[in-house]
């Protein structure tokens, strides 16, 4: 098992880490992006260097873009597929090895996770659970989200040194998604642990020790959801797990893999958005003051948080066949890296893009949740949670301030904080 796991890590991550080191030594922007956590920021000088090279330059054998229109076009174009370990563009020996080392675990970054599958499978998976994340279903959660947010805020005062990640930003979305999936409250801490260890698998080029630890937790995730689905065979439910279980066209592996994806994606994005938003507002008191005076701007403020410092910085697509983008030929099998953070800081679309401005008129045009058929399924839920939780927090504690610099999560592509100690200040009457 260990040899198989190591071989899979080498194919999925190890070679890429070595390639990134070589590219960085050559001084190429792509290598700098891959090696440093700050390289993927929308305001990074490496992103701006790529932007100066043109809409979709090629370097180190791959195309890369920070251009908003190019990113949006590719995300919506069915001529491009997601980056997957079984994509036909990979050499046959690599695909053979990946098939032989398949661990059979619910890895978010591997099929049959809908995140890395294309139609028709992607269509099947998304159709099963799409209704639970539709506008009407999400609207019914508004009152419950407000209750959970208020309850967590009430408990902050009892903490000697409140941490707005562990005590608030993580707890709120995991409570909501667990209830949507029909999972008990006593599992919340375990779910957060699994989410924290599984998050690096959404990236490429992770260290061996990180991958090994994540795989160990994934075995627990698989065992847990297998038991859940076994129980659903005898007692059907109308929650999201019940929807997956009721579809006879899905295999057990497809059910477990997409349940794990919905669990992690259901709170990871929101945890990161809330943490990034709190840090931004605490460091831009004039923007927070404006929101206190004009609270109707909070929904737009959430969009500007997502634009300015979105939870996902980059994604990738593979050309399914020869295709022209912005008058440039992209050959079949070519990898195209899309800097979502760069697109969200494109001055051609967002004037003065490096300024955080909650009144920005077109903030909602950001690509933080992607676009097209792979647009984030939970985007409505994340937006609603942000527009309720953030004003609730700052209404209760208008003088809240950071107690030292927030501790960032050691990830490159997923921008998040691991810890954010604060001083609450005087509670509002």
């Amino acid at each position: 098992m260990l040899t198989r796991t190591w071989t899979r890590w080498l194919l999925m991550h190890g070679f890429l880490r070595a390639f990134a080191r070589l590219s960085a030594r050559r001084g190429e922007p792509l290598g700098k992006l891959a090696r440093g956590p700050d390289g993927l920021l929308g305001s990074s000088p490496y992103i701006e260097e790529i932007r100066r090279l043109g809409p979709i330059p090629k370097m180190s054998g791959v195309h890369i873009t920070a251009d908003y229109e190019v990113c949006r076009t590719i995300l919506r174009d069915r001529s491009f597929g997601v980056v997957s370990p079984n994509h036909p563009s990979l050499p046959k020996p690599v695909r053979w090895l990946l098939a032989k080392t398949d661990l059979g675990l619910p890895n978010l970054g591997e099929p049959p996770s809908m995140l890395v599958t294309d139609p028709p499978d992607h269509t099947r998976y998304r159709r099963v659970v799409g209704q639970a994340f539709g506008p009407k279903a999400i609207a019914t959660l508004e009152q419950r989200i407000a209750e959970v947010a208020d309850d967590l805020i009430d408990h902050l005062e009892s903490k000697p040194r409140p941490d707005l990640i562990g005590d608030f930003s993580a707890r709120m979305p995991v409570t909501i998604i667990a209830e949507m999936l029909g999972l008990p409250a006593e599992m919340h801490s375990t779910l957060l642990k699994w989410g924290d260890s599984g998050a690096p698998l959404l990236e490429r080029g992770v260290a061996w020790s990180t991958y090994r630890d994540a795989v160990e937790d994934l075995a627990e995730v698989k065992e847990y959801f297998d038991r859940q689905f076994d129980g659903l065979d005898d007692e059907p439910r109308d929650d999201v797990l019940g929807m997956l279980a009721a579809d006879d066209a899905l295999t057990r592996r497809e059910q477990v893999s997409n349940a794990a994806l919905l669990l992690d994606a259901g709170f990871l994005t929101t945890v990161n958005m809330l943490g990034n938003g709190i840090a931004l507002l605490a460091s831009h008191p004039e923007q927070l003051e404006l929101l206190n005076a004009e609270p109707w701007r909070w929904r737009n403020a959430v969009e500007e948080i997502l634009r300015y410092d979105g939870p996902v910085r980059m994604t990738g697509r593979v050309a399914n066949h020869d295709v022209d983008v912005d008058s440039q030929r992209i050959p079949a099998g070519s990898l195209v890296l899309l800097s979502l953070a760069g697109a969200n800081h494109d001055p051609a679309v967002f004037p003065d893009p490096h300024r955080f401005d909650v009144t920005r008129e077109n903030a909602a045009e950001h690509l933080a949740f992607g676009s097209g058929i792979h647009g984030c399924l939970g985007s409505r839920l994340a937006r609603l949670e942000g527009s309720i939780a953030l004003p609730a927090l700052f209404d209760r504690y208008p003088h809240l301030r950071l107690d030292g610099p927030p501790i960032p999560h050691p990830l490159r592509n997923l921008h998040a904080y691991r810890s954010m100690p604060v001083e609450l200040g005087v509670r509002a009457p």
Side-chain angles (χ1 to χ4, degrees):
M1 176 66 175
L2 184 61
T3 301
R4 190 154 53 112
T5 303
W6 185 86
T7 302
R8 194 165 188 81
W9 167 81
L10 188 66
L11 292 168
M12 297 284 292
H13 300 279
F15 288 131
L16 182 59
R17 285 174 67 84
F19 173 79
R21 289 193 186 97
L22 179 60
S23 181
R25 289 196 191 104
R26 291 173 175 170
E28 296 174 342
L30 181 59
K32 297 172 185 176
L33 285 174
R35 293 291 295 160
D38 294 333
L40 294 175
L41 289 171
S43 57
S44 161
Y46 305 137
I47 292 290
E48 294 308 313
E49 185 176 348
I50 289 168
R51 199 188 305 281
R52 286 193 295 270
L53 292 174
I56 184 167
K58 187 175 183 179
M59 57 184 66
S60 304
V62 302
H63 295 271
I64 185 169
T65 180
D67 184 278
Y68 178 91
E69 291 299 337
V70 172
C71 284
R72 187 173 65 167
T73 295
I74 291 176
L75 288 169
R76 295 179 175 184
D77 193 340
R78 298 291 186 93
S79 298
F80 291 89
V82 290
V83 181
S84 171
N86 59 9
H87 196 280
S89 64
L90 287 174
K92 286 185 179 180
V94 174
R95 278 185 283 154
W96 182 84
L97 270 174
L98 286 170
K100 287 295 183 182
T101 58
D102 187 353
L103 303 175
L105 298 175
N107 188 327
L108 309 186
E110 297 183 17
S113 162
M114 75 174 78
L115 194 67
V116 287
T117 53
D118 285 316
D121 288 337
H122 175 269
T123 307
R124 288 193 300 119
Y125 305 152
R126 189 153 178 146
R127 184 181 62 246
V128 173
V129 296
Q131 186 176 355
F133 292 87
K136 291 183 179 179
I138 296 303
T140 63
L141 296 174
E142 185 169 349
Q143 181 61 37
R144 179 57 181 151
I145 292 171
E147 292 171 356
V148 173
D150 285 342
D151 184 59
L152 291 170
I153 293 169
D154 285 341
H155 284 84
L156 289 177
E157 285 186 357
S158 65
K159 308 285 183 179
R161 192 169 185 247
D163 175 8
L164 287 188
I165 301 300
D167 297 329
F168 181 69
S169 297
R171 290 286 170 180
M172 195 201 76
V174 79
T175 300
I176 299 301
I177 193 63
E179 291 178 359
M180 291 178 69
L181 290 168
L183 306 180
E186 57 265 26
M187 282 296 297
H188 289 179
S189 294
T190 301
L191 299 179
L192 286 169
K193 170 181 172 290
W194 288 342
D196 192 57
S197 66
L201 298 179
L202 293 171
E203 308 205 342
R204 288 290 182 260
V206 302
W208 158 244
S209 58
T210 302
Y211 183 80
R212 180 196 60 215
D213 293 345
V215 165
E216 290 177 358
D217 274 354
L218 282 181
E220 297 179 12
V221 174
K222 181 181 183 301
E223 182 181 357
Y224 177 75
F225 278 113
D226 272 335
R227 290 200 305 270
Q228 291 292 311
F229 283 112
D230 285 342
L232 285 167
D233 290 339
D234 301 323
E235 295 183 28
R237 302 195 310 240
D238 59 359
D239 51 41
V240 176
L241 284 192
M243 293 177 183
L244 288 167
D247 194 311
D248 295 333
L250 297 180
T251 66
R252 173 55 62 86
R253 183 174 182 183
E254 289 173 328
Q255 292 170 341
V256 170
S257 179
N258 285 292
L261 169 66
L262 292 171
L263 170 65
D264 281 359
F267 71 82
L268 282 175
T269 300
T270 308
V271 171
N272 300 348
M273 179 193 68
L274 292 176
N276 297 352
I278 293 167
L280 278 172
L281 291 166
S283 60
H284 291 80
E286 77 289 350
Q287 297 290 298
L288 186 56
E289 185 177 346
L290 175 61
L291 290 170
N292 288 333
E294 301 176 356
W296 55 271
R297 293 188 182 274
W298 269 107
R299 286 188 181 273
N300 196 68
V302 169
E303 302 294 349
E304 176 67 353
I305 290 166
L306 289 164
R307 182 203 71 83
Y308 189 88
D309 195 6
V312 180
R313 294 170 171 174
M314 182 171 284
T315 189
R317 293 291 185 267
V318 179
N320 294 326
H321 52 78
D322 292 353
V323 57
D324 292 327
V325 177
D326 199 62
S327 302
Q328 184 169 340
R329 174 55 57 96
I330 309 295
S334 297
L335 173 63
V336 183
L337 297 178
L338 311 175
S339 172
L340 302 180
N344 290 337
H345 285 73
D346 188 337
V349 179
F350 304 103
D352 196 7
H354 305 310
R355 177 170 57 89
F356 178 62
D357 179 9
V358 298
T359 69
R360 187 180 296 276
E361 292 183 0
N362 67 339
E365 295 177 16
H366 63 78
L367 298 177
F369 290 129
S371 189
I373 63 170
H374 282 282
C376 178
L377 183 64
S379 60
R380 291 187 185 91
L381 178 60
R383 284 181 163 105
L384 184 61
E385 289 175 324
S387 65
I388 292 174
L390 290 173
L393 177 67
F394 285 104
D395 282 351
R396 186 82 62 88
Y397 299 108
H399 305 293
L400 180 152
R401 67 184 184 88
L402 301 180
D403 187 9
I407 301 171
H409 204 293
L411 298 171
R412 291 188 297 274
N413 193 25
L414 296 178
H415 186 214
Y417 292 103
R418 185 182 291 277
S419 177
M420 189 178 292
V422 297
E423 292 183 6
L424 296 174
V426 179
R427 176 174 174 156

